[in-house]
Amino acid sequence: MQVPPGMIVAAALCGLAATAATALSAIDARRRAGPHRQAHALLAAASGVALVTLLVGVAVALSTPGHAGHPPQSRMLWAGVVAIGTAVSGLIFSVGLLRLPGVASPAAATARLALDGTVMAAAFWFVGWVLVSEPTRLLGGATPVACVPILLATVSAALTAGLALVVAFRAPSPRRFHAGLGAGATAVACGGLLVAAGLCQAGPGVALVGAGVLAAGLLTAALAARRVAAGAARTALDLISRDGAYAFVPMFAMAASAMYHLLQDGRFDVFGIVAGSVEGFALVGRQYLALHDVRGYAGRLADREAHFRELAHTDALTALANRRGLLQALHRCAGAGAPVVLLCLDLDGFKNVNDVRGHGVGDAVLAEVGERLRANLRPGDVAARLGGDEFAVLTRGCPSDADRLAERLLDVFGQAYDQPDGPVFLSVSIGVAGWAEKPDVELLLRHADLALRYAKQRGKNRIERYDAAYDQLLRRRTTLEHELRGAIERGELRQVFQPVAALPSVRPVGAEALLRWHHPVLGSVRPDEFIPLAEECGMIGKLGAWVLHQACHQLSRWLADGHDVWVSVNVSPRELHAPEYVVQVAEALRAHNVPPQRLVLEVTEHVVATDLDELIRRLTALRATGVRIALDDFGAGYSSLGQLRRLPIDILKIDHSLVAEHEPVRPVGRDGPAFAPMVDIVMRLGHQLGLEVVAEGVTTPTELAAVVAAGCRFGQGALFGWGVPAEHLEAMLEAATSPGARPAPAPVPPPAPSPPPRRLPRMPAPRPAEQGSAQVERGV
């Protein structure tokens, strides 16, 4: 049979197009790198197999004689070869599609996609079988006869089409290139089907049409594969929202086509039954994999939940329990009614470690604290870090066991913490508490915390067991803080004045203003109780301003009455370092018309332990207003002789401890009265520096005689009078000026301001408990 020239030209064009497409695929595979090169190599291999199949099929269709509908035996064999080539090409295309970036990476994900493709393929094949078989026969006379190559090719085309559809939906955005690649692979499989059908029964025309479709599919696949991004991210499979369509749509299509087939009086042969069985088994396998994934996902969620629950109850730095973990253990013990004791621990001085050595060393010390806690606990005990440098230990057993544990921890925590740049030394304060009448977690925590606070207030580095009196102290403290905020407005505060006497005449020449508080319900509140509280709650500035104005007001009245007197006012460290304090002093002097030299501001010696240069600047600014500065409690604090020489002060007030520390001694080698040696030394030092000296705390005639013998010109203490109201002191002043009274020595005028001092290195700040110590002794 003569072949028309047009068919030969068409066959040649199809071959050239398929060859060009295969070459493009091979070049694209060669330029790919990394893990995605395998996918493009598979696509190139599938294109090569399809090219060979096309060439074989076209060659057989044009060269082997035969008639449509009655092909010779040789063409049936070649049709089988074409069908096998089409199936192999489709299979390789399918594997390449699954290996594309962003489609599937784990073996389980690949298996799920393969089963999804099988479900789709079985539905496609079954619907196609219903449409071309009896009684529908959609193709009419062109319906293929029973031919094994055609059957094999249809299965290959259905599988490729089903998998390509699934991949197109699974691929990451943009999906158009994956969809084009899948469409090309499907066209290649359908083209192979047409070539096999042409060889089986339809003739060379159908085979050439199939060759054209196959070549077009190769070109489409090659061009789309070049645009698939090499670095596309892999898409996580959604086990819930995106899997329903793969089961519902194919089953609906198969059920609808089966109902239609039965309504048309169709019969199901072995091929239809096999297609339905494949669909069912594929769905069962797919759901099994989905169930397996869900179970694995649930297991991973449970593991992560347990992990995060552990993290939520564990301190990251020390690996001890955190506050939540401690509360959990406490509630568990409370529910079981087990006897427990709670120890609250706080590291003394840890803030200095962070400030001086850095937070890195601080964290290392905290981690070492955690290790020491773990090493000294019994099985069943719970150690926790509550935050910062505060820890807790929950131990089961009797209180005596807890006391022994606390003693052991007190010793262990006091040992050196070795660090690369030198050891760190710390102490610990421990509060111990047990259950009250019945287990109560919040009450136990509160009691242990109160015991810890009491341990720190009593000097730190000690153990305190909770006592019911702590609650009373806390309630009183809370009440005092609340009531103190309105004490000025309610008129509950008053000033008293302790006289400063000239020696030896003991005539009052000055007074120290002291603060007293009488509450209508609480009664008289001691200064050593409410002054530290005012320091802590930030009210000391307000109280100090009130005392300053009241003292200036009373001093102006005494001066107006003709009394030659001066008044001293205590200044807290917080007031002294307030930027506005100098202005407040100047305004108080101006408002009450008080000569500045008649006002003395007393600063405690403990303030010298703060930043010395800043202290000198503040005192110099105050002294520039004309007031005199007194250094209180000298001999009981931190000041050295070098610091004393630099301080811009006018008066030294000798602490009572120096006055009463030793018995008076007799002069060696000469006659004279007994004198206080330490007072004598301070007197000589003060006179050398041009300072006036006041002996504080003179309570007995013996002490008076000793300080007078040492040459002290002024004294203050119980021997001369306690703090008395202003009218009482005024009576004392009037009595002292009555006829017959001995004259008092004139006060020494203040020295000229010294030149600006040299800058010295900064000194560490005092502890908060030290800053208010002077005010605790006498009041603001």
Side-chain angles (χ1 to χ4, degrees):
M1 181 181 69
Q2 186 68 28
V3 179
M7 288 188 176
I8 296 176
V9 173
L13 291 176
C14 291
L16 290 174
T19 302
T22 303
L24 285 175
S25 297
I27 294 171
D28 182 54
R30 286 178 62 85
R31 70 179 179 85
R32 298 283 177 169
H36 305 311
R37 185 174 185 177
Q38 181 184 8
H40 292 274
L42 288 172
L43 295 177
S47 298
V49 174
L51 173 62
V52 172
T53 300
L54 181 146
L55 296 177
V56 170
V58 170
V60 173
L62 297 180
S63 62
T64 303
H67 300 281
H70 300 284
Q73 188 65 30
S74 60
R75 290 182 62 176
M76 292 290 294
L77 293 177
W78 285 113
V81 171
V82 170
I84 293 173
T86 301
V88 172
S89 174
L91 179 62
I92 299 176
F93 262 122
S94 299
V95 176
L97 288 172
L98 292 175
R99 300 296 298 172
L100 283 174
V103 176
S105 55
T110 303
R112 285 193 296 270
L113 288 182
L115 286 174
D116 289 338
T118 303
V119 170
M120 288 290 185
F124 285 151
W125 196 94
F126 185 83
V127 173
W129 174 81
V130 168
L131 294 178
V132 300
S133 63
E134 294 288 348
T136 303
R137 290 181 62 87
L138 184 64
L139 299 180
T143 300
V145 297
C147 179
V148 175
I150 293 178
L151 179 63
L152 180 60
T154 56
V155 172
S156 174
L159 284 173
T160 305
L163 189 60
L165 183 62
V166 172
V167 167
F169 282 107
R170 282 291 192 195
S173 297
R175 300 189 182 95
R176 59 181 181 275
F177 301 120
H178 292 81
L181 183 56
T186 303
V188 169
C190 292
L193 170 61
L194 291 177
V195 172
L199 293 179
C200 278
Q201 69 179 72
V206 175
L208 287 178
V209 172
V213 174
L214 193 151
L218 288 177
L219 277 174
T220 303
L223 294 175
R226 292 174 64 88
R227 302 298 301 275
V228 173
R234 298 192 180 276
T235 302
L237 295 180
D238 188 346
L239 303 178
I240 300 174
S241 63
R242 297 186 61 182
D243 284 347
Y246 297 131
F248 176 75
V249 175
M251 284 302 299
F252 179 79
M254 290 187 68
S257 58
M259 291 296 296
Y260 168 79
H261 190 66
L262 290 176
L263 291 175
Q264 296 295 324
D265 294 329
R267 297 291 184 268
F268 290 102
D269 56 14
V270 66
F271 299 112
I273 295 175
V274 169
S277 300
V278 169
E279 179 79 4
F281 281 115
L283 284 174
V284 170
R286 181 63 180 85
Q287 296 308 311
Y288 173 79
L289 287 180
L291 181 60
H292 182 270
D293 290 340
V294 170
R295 286 176 176 170
Y297 183 65
R300 290 191 296 273
L301 282 181
D303 293 340
R304 291 178 183 177
E305 181 183 1
H307 175 66
F308 287 126
R309 186 183 297 112
E310 181 180 359
L311 290 180
H313 293 81
T314 304
D315 177 66
L317 180 60
T318 62
L320 301 176
N322 58 14
R323 185 177 292 273
R324 292 191 188 93
L326 177 66
L327 288 174
Q328 186 182 53
L330 282 170
H331 284 292
R332 190 163 51 243
C333 293
V340 297
V341 178
L342 181 64
L343 283 68
C344 280
L345 305 91
D346 189 86
L347 301 178
D348 304 324
F350 180 76
K351 185 178 184 299
N352 293 332
V353 177
N354 279 335
D355 294 342
V356 178
R357 306 284 288 272
H359 289 275
V361 174
D363 290 346
V365 170
L366 290 176
E368 177 65 21
V369 169
E371 293 293 335
R372 295 185 185 186
L373 272 178
R374 276 190 291 270
N376 287 274
L377 297 185
R378 302 174 304 176
D381 293 347
V382 178
R385 181 187 176 209
L386 304 182
D389 58 350
E390 189 174 353
F391 294 81
V393 175
L394 178 64
T395 178
R396 298 173 182 266
C398 59
S400 60
D401 295 336
D403 292 339
R404 286 192 293 270
L405 173 61
E407 292 287 350
R408 187 165 66 250
L409 293 178
L410 193 70
D411 177 66
V412 168
F413 280 21
Q415 299 174 9
Y417 298 83
D418 294 327
Q419 297 298 317
D421 55 348
V424 174
F425 294 93
L426 295 172
S427 61
V428 65
S429 300
I430 304 176
V432 183
W435 293 129
E437 298 178 356
K438 60 179 181 179
D440 188 325
V441 172
E442 296 299 329
L443 193 60
L444 177 62
L445 286 169
R446 180 172 172 272
H447 287 174
D449 188 61
L450 280 175
L452 174 61
R453 289 177 58 183
Y454 196 60
K456 296 187 79 70
Q457 290 176 2
R458 296 192 64 184
K460 304 179 181 179
N461 193 29
R462 59 185 295 120
I463 302 167
E464 288 292 339
R465 175 170 284 279
Y466 169 77
D467 189 279
Y470 298 167
D471 276 327
Q472 299 175 3
L473 293 175
L474 180 61
R475 282 194 294 269
R476 179 172 175 82
R477 175 188 174 85
T478 304
T479 303
L480 288 177
E481 180 178 349
H482 180 268
E483 296 297 322
L484 183 60
R485 296 187 181 278
I488 295 178
E489 291 75 8
R490 294 191 300 268
E492 297 171 1
L493 299 180
R494 61 186 179 92
Q495 269 190 337
V496 296
F497 298 88
Q498 186 175 30
V500 177
L503 302 180
S505 67
V506 299
R507 191 183 99 181
V509 293
E512 180 178 353
L514 304 175
L515 183 62
R516 296 294 182 261
W517 180 20
H518 183 81
H519 190 273
V521 176
L522 300 174
S524 295
V525 184
R526 299 190 313 274
D528 62 354
E529 189 174 12
F530 73 84
I531 296 298
L533 184 60
E535 286 271 8
E536 293 181 18
C537 68
M539 285 194 60
I540 194 65
K542 182 179 179 181
L543 294 182
W546 185 85
V547 169
L548 177 63
H549 279 275
Q550 292 295 317
C552 289
H553 173 71
Q554 186 59 54
L555 178 59
S556 67
R557 292 183 57 184
W558 285 335
L559 294 176
D561 292 340
H563 297 295
D564 186 12
V565 68
W566 48 268
V567 171
S568 65
V569 175
N570 289 282
V571 182
S572 72
R574 184 169 296 185
E575 288 179 286
L576 184 62
H577 290 88
E580 67 277 4
Y581 187 66
V582 175
V583 177
Q584 289 180 0
V585 172
E587 290 179 350
L589 293 172
R590 184 172 58 254
H592 300 284
N593 196 25
V594 172
Q597 67 273 14
R598 295 288 181 170
L599 178 65
V600 177
L601 299 180
E602 296 188 13
V603 295
T604 177
E605 190 187 13
H606 296 291
V607 180
V608 179
T610 62
D611 185 348
L612 182 61
D613 292 332
E614 177 63 22
L615 176 63
I616 292 174
R617 284 193 294 270
R618 303 302 300 173
L619 294 181
T620 302
L622 286 170
R623 207 159 175 245
T625 64
V627 301
R628 292 185 291 169
I629 306 296
L631 182 62
D632 201 4
D633 298 329
F634 181 75
Y638 299 91
S639 58
S640 66
L641 296 182
Q643 292 169 343
L644 184 64
R645 184 172 178 272
R646 295 183 60 202
L647 290 174
I649 60 176
D650 304 282
I651 300 172
L652 273 182
K653 301 189 74 172
I654 307 175
D655 186 70
H656 171 68
S657 61
L658 299 185
V659 175
E661 183 178 5
H662 302 285
E663 291 292 332
V665 297
R666 295 284 179 181
V668 178
R670 61 182 176 88
D671 294 332
F675 66 96
M678 297 303 297
V679 176
D680 181 71
I681 294 173
V682 176
M683 281 294 307
R684 295 175 184 271
L685 174 65
H687 290 164
Q688 289 292 327
L689 296 177
L691 305 177
E692 191 60 83
V693 180
V694 178
E696 288 189 290
V698 180
T699 58
T700 65
T702 303
E703 293 174 355
L704 173 61
V707 298
V708 169
C712 189
R713 290 159 47 90
F714 297 97
Q716 180 180 350
L719 187 63
F720 312 114
W722 297 102
V724 295
E727 55 271 18
H728 291 186
L729 183 61
E730 186 173 354
M732 296 171 64
L733 292 173
E734 291 176 352
T737 57
S738 62
R742 290 178 294 178
V748 177
S754 58
R758 294 171 297 166
R759 301 283 294 181
L760 289 180
R762 293 175 177 263
M763 298 183 65
R767 295 186 296 268
E770 297 165 348
Q771 291 179 348
S773 61
Q775 282 69 34
V776 171
E777 293 172 5
R778 286 178 305 280
V780 174

